[in-house]
Amino acid sequence: MARWSFTRSVQLFCLVLSCTLLGFVAYKSANTSQKSIRGYQNLEQQLPQQLRGKSLDPQTEAEKEEEKLGFVRSGFNQFRSDRIPLDREIPDTRDPRCLERRYPSGIPSTSVVIIFHNEAYTVLLRTIISVLNRSPPELIHEIILVDDASDHEDLKEKLEDYVLSQPKLKLIHHKERKGLIRARMTGADASTGRTITFLDSHCEANVGWLEPLMERIHLDRTTVVCPVIDVISWEKIEYSGIRGAVSDRGGFSWGLEFKWKKIPDYEQKRRQYDEIREVKSPTMAGGLFSIDRSYFYEIGAYDPGMDIWGGENLEMSFRIWMCGGQLEFIPCSRVGHIFREHQPYTFPGGVDNVVVKNNLRLAEAWMDEYKEHYYSKRPDVRDRDYGDIRDRLAIRERLHCKSFKWYLENVYPELPLPNENLYHGGWVRNPKSNLCLDTHGKREDGEVGLYPCHGQGGNQDFAFSNLGEILFDEDLCLDADSAVLGDPIKIMRCNELDSQKWKYNKKTQTLKHSLSGLCLATGEGGKAVMQTCSRSPSQVWVWAHHFTPMPSRVKQ
């Protein structure tokens, strides 16, 4: 008996010792945050009792007007949001292996910062409640709400009463509109947790979302982490995230717009094709991320010279990588997000002026000689004022930050330079009409049209690749899938199919569609159309620039 007790004691001692040496005591919360929640239920079944039997769609003229006003006011279906539960069930979109993960003891708690301006009350509360319900209580240090001068009545006394009922909630009101960037700084300055987690005010945290984020920061304080972003539809407010592998990460275009890009092969190899491992990402979308609080201020927080919203996510992404940190998406962390149908808020000074100023600041502070690629896209903004960036340049010097060339070569080598693998670029002009190809602000699945040439890039900035593609914004292509006489040309995501292949004849200056044999021509009503090739003046196209293609820099 004594021998058995001694043996068991030794085994127990070894077990405790091994766990201590590994620093990995299994973390298991008393709440249900690590359990898989049930599948997505019909919204009607989740309604509060007083709404049971009532339609989620408008039935009367008054309700139809209410729905219409909600779309205008919020950019999504506020009518439906107001009629579904605040604590509804949503699908667990994680890989099943995430449920088997155990997290080390001592992972930090976080201060969740949510800023809002005239957000729909029920959407805001659903964001807050999802964080409270699906997070281990000990990991939520506090939730700080920053009201950026909202004027909606339900965001005043009604919201204040709710905040008073929740011990971990704090509410700060701005008397004047300051914009997302400065409002987030208000929340960060008020926070006292070891980490800060920034969330948009129209999200739903999924089960087990927080632990994997905090673990990565616990292992390396210079790692900035983002959840995988699931989609909550703006039309139906349905959580439509797809369970399974994460296929995209953050990138950007030379017009300094954030882009979702397919994870390249070299990153998949580094991950050993393990779909629940972290994904190193060149950039982040910016709305949802966690960061060590002291590190956030150490690397310069947000640029105080930026206004309202726009460009701050790229500026911070460049800064993180160039100054010694790293940026990751974490597949076992999932948060739903409503991508609005339109932006319902105004930008003091105008959206273009605000975003351009912010982009100029990040280009001048961080992009070195590569800023010229941005100016080639927006030559009209080169002389605009962008304020004083000496504090940003001082950060580069203080932290011994690397060059933007290093960033491109080591973090984002697959980003093509403007003349990489390209033969022609800039505007595409028809000399007879002096009209240029123009997207008219349309994106994927839109139609390309014609507009008087202005030479300012933007919607008239195209390129002709060595694959015979007419590119717009690097990952969209002109597509003539139907190839019927008189049909318009679509803007589609590039897929290397024959419907997107063209031949440019330098002698005749015509663009011939490889699949159909038809030619691109000017049509009536400002349309670009397909016509039988005839060397008509309507089929002549002149490119602004001609290049000698440079070899690709993509890692093998």
Side-chain angles (χ1 to χ4, degrees), residues 275-376:
E275 296 298 345
I276 67 171
R277 278 194 64 177
E278 74 283 351
V279 177
K280 308 290 185 187
S281 182
T283 68
M284 61 177 168
L288 295 70
F289 70 96
S290 297
I291 187 170
D292 179 275
R293 187 179 189 277
S294 61
Y295 183 64
F296 174 71
Y297 286 99
E298 183 181 309
I299 63 168
Y302 280 107
D303 179 353
M306 285 189 168
D307 296 328
I308 312 295
W309 171 88
E312 81 288 346
N313 57 321
L314 297 186
E315 194 269 351
M316 185 173 287
S317 300
F318 297 165
R319 181 158 36 97
I320 288 166
W321 280 109
M322 292 167 63
C323 302
Q326 59 182 345
L327 184 58
E328 298 176 346
F329 280 90
I330 309 301
C332 286
S333 175
R334 311 291 283 246
V335 175
H337 180 274
I338 300 175
F339 293 91
R340 302 180 194 270
E341 187 270 339
H342 67 270
Q343 178 58 261
Y345 312 130
T346 60
F347 281 63
V351 61
D352 185 66
N353 288 333
V354 169
V355 174
V356 164
K357 177 191 173 184
N358 292 350
N359 284 343
L360 287 172
R361 291 183 65 83
L362 79 90
E364 292 289 340
W366 298 100
M367 293 177 67
D368 304 329
E369 68 271 22
Y370 293 89
K371 67 187 178 186
E372 292 301 325
H373 297 318
Y374 171 62
Y375 288 127
S376 72

Side-chain angles (χ1 to χ4, degrees), residues 113-387:
V113 174
I114 302 171
I115 74 104
F116 61 93
H117 172 72
N118 285 341
E119 186 61 273
Y121 180 79
T122 53
V123 166
L124 175 60
L125 256 63
R126 199 171 290 114
T127 302
I128 297 166
I129 290 170
S130 71
V131 170
L132 291 171
N133 285 355
R134 300 194 181 110
S135 309
E138 58 271 34
L139 293 189
I140 297 295
H141 182 76
E142 60 194 349
I143 299 177
I144 299 174
L145 308 176
V146 180
D147 169 23
D148 193 27
S150 298
D151 54 24
H152 291 182
E153 283 301 318
D154 54 8
L155 297 176
K156 296 178 182 178
E157 186 175 346
K158 184 178 179 180
L159 179 60
E160 289 170 355
D161 289 343
Y162 175 75
V163 168
L164 289 173
S165 73
Q166 301 292 331
K168 291 194 175 183
L169 261 60
K170 300 177 181 178
L171 177 60
I172 302 171
H173 290 289
H174 282 171
K175 293 182 179 180
E176 296 179 352
R177 178 97 180 273
K178 295 185 178 181
L180 178 143
I181 296 169
R182 295 188 180 103
R184 283 192 162 185
M185 283 307 305
T186 296
D189 291 345
S191 69
T192 56
R194 282 179 57 191
T195 71
I196 303 173
T197 297
F198 294 100
L199 293 180
D200 283 341
S201 56
H202 35 276
C203 294
E204 286 179 70
N206 212 319
V207 62
W209 75 287
L210 187 56
E211 298 94 318
L213 299 179
M214 296 300 103
E215 179 194 38
R216 296 300 296 172
I217 297 175
H218 176 69
L219 295 173
D220 183 349
R221 67 183 288 271
T222 68
T223 299
V224 180
V225 287
C226 307
V228 171
I229 304 173
D230 290 333
V231 175
I232 302 172
S233 67
W234 60 267
E235 304 102 322
K236 299 293 186 181
I237 316 300
E238 291 179 344
Y239 196 111
S240 55
I242 299 174
R243 184 174 183 144
V246 177
S247 59
D248 293 339
R249 65 178 189 168
F252 70 95
S253 70
W254 288 109
L256 297 183
E257 295 175 328
F258 174 83
K259 300 285 184 181
W260 291 109
K261 295 290 187 178
K262 182 180 178 182
I263 300 173
D265 288 342
Y266 68 83
E267 174 61 10
Q268 296 287 31
K269 289 177 183 177
R270 185 201 65 81
R271 300 172 72 209
Q272 299 178 320
Y273 300 95
D274 183 349
E275 296 298 345
I276 67 171
R277 278 194 64 177
E278 74 283 351
V279 177
K280 308 290 185 187
S281 182
T283 68
M284 61 177 168
L288 295 70
F289 70 96
S290 297
I291 187 170
D292 179 275
R293 187 179 189 277
S294 61
Y295 183 64
F296 174 71
Y297 286 99
E298 183 181 309
I299 63 168
Y302 280 107
D303 179 353
M306 285 189 168
D307 296 328
I308 312 295
W309 171 88
E312 81 288 346
N313 57 321
L314 297 186
E315 194 269 351
M316 185 173 287
S317 300
F318 297 165
R319 181 158 36 97
I320 288 166
W321 280 109
M322 292 167 63
C323 302
Q326 59 182 345
L327 184 58
E328 298 176 346
F329 280 90
I330 309 301
C332 286
S333 175
R334 311 291 283 246
V335 175
H337 180 274
I338 300 175
F339 293 91
R340 302 180 194 270
E341 187 270 339
H342 67 270
Q343 178 58 261
Y345 312 130
T346 60
F347 281 63
V351 61
D352 185 66
N353 288 333
V354 169
V355 174
V356 164
K357 177 191 173 184
N358 292 350
N359 284 343
L360 287 172
R361 291 183 65 83
L362 79 90
E364 292 289 340
W366 298 100
M367 293 177 67
D368 304 329
E369 68 271 22
Y370 293 89
K371 67 187 178 186
E372 292 301 325
H373 297 318
Y374 171 62
Y375 288 127
S376 72
K377 297 284 185 180
R378 291 297 306 268
D380 57 310
V381 306
R382 183 182 290 273
D383 296 326
R384 289 198 197 180
D385 179 47
Y386 52 82

